[in-house]
Amino acid sequence: MSPVTSHSVEAATPLALKDKLVPALGAAALGIVLLFGAGFAPMEALHNAAHDSRHSAGFPCH
């Protein structure tokens, strides 16, 4: 039998504003880049990208 060990539970410390702001700004920047990249891309390029990603994931598309 294995010995019983006790684990202490520590209170979770709240995150600082910097620790919340950096990931939020990174996600917002990535979203803006994707939104404008898709908005100004030619339709054929978007179709080919979606088509290739469906095939690489193993989904048939036609």
Side-chain angles (χ1 to χ4, degrees), residues 2-61:
S2 63
V4 176
T5 58
S6 65
H7 298 284
S8 64
V9 177
E10 296 181 17
T13 58
L15 293 175
L17 179 62
K18 179 185 76 169
D19 294 333
K20 294 178 188 177
L21 194 59
V22 171
L25 288 176
L30 179 62
I32 288 170
V33 167
L34 290 174
L35 183 65
F36 280 99
F40 291 113
M43 185 56 74
E44 184 177 341
L46 294 176
H47 172 79
N48 289 340
H51 184 259
D52 293 344
S53 61
R54 284 184 61 88
H55 278 295
S56 67
F59 294 106
C61 60

